[in-house]
Amino acid sequence: MWRRSFVSAAGAFGTLLFGSESVRGTADRFDERTDACSRPSPPSKTVIHLSSGESPAQEHALLNAKNLLDDETVPVKDLVLLANGKGILVYTPPTDDNEFADRIASLQERGVTFRACENAMEMLNVTEDDLLPGVEPVPSGVGELARLQELNYGYIKAP
């Protein structure tokens, strides 16, 4: 008898906390109301953060930027790719280890802003003249991330 009362009370408490619908019922309604092409979405402001000097991570960051721009369900208002640490090397002229200059130029044409941490530039002996055209140096990568997040930018960390 006591156990039945406890189960009943727990069910009533769960209803108060989570509503009267079952999770499955909510999921069914969600699927009926939304589909990938008609979901309303406000224009997004996003920063992609790259700190790795490894080519696969750099490629991943640039691919994330392209995929976000290509996603028709997400209207992009502003997209920033911010590099700090060895990640700034993606912004240097093409070498055997860095073949991304053309991709960066293509993304710039689509409105992506590229920013490089001046602290990392100093640490790696990279000057502003060494950067690809259009890359904007910022005093500190972490400071720029904090500033953008204060301005309600979404944050994506590239590997």
Side-chain angles (χ1 to χ4, degrees), residues 107-125:
L107 289 167
Q108 284 173 325
E109 289 173 5
R110 296 181 69 185
V112 178
T113 303
F114 292 87
R115 298 185 184 151
C117 171
E118 288 179 343
N119 292 331
M121 290 170 60
E122 183 177 332
M123 179 182 74
L124 297 169
N125 295 315

Side-chain angles (χ1 to χ4, degrees), residues 48 58-72 74 76 79 81 103-104 106-108 110 112 114 156:
I48 298 174
Q58 294 169 342
E59 182 172 14
H60 190 106
L62 295 169
L63 190 58
N64 277 345
K66 179 188 178 302
N67 288 344
L68 183 58
L69 293 172
D70 290 347
D71 185 342
E72 294 177 4
V74 181
V76 177
L79 179 55
L81 200 150
R103 288 193 208 179
I104 290 170
S106 174
L107 289 167
Q108 284 173 325
R110 296 181 69 185
V112 178
F114 292 87
I156 298 171

Side-chain angles (χ1 to χ4, degrees), residues 55 58-59 62 87-110 112 114 130-135:
S55 185
Q58 294 169 342
E59 182 172 14
L62 295 169
I88 67 161
L89 298 176
V90 75
Y91 298 150
T92 57
T95 64
D96 289 341
D97 295 328
N98 179 9
E99 71 278 5
F100 301 118
D102 290 340
R103 288 193 208 179
I104 290 170
S106 174
L107 289 167
Q108 284 173 325
E109 289 173 5
R110 296 181 69 185
V112 178
F114 292 87
D130 294 329
L131 298 175
L132 296 171
V135 175

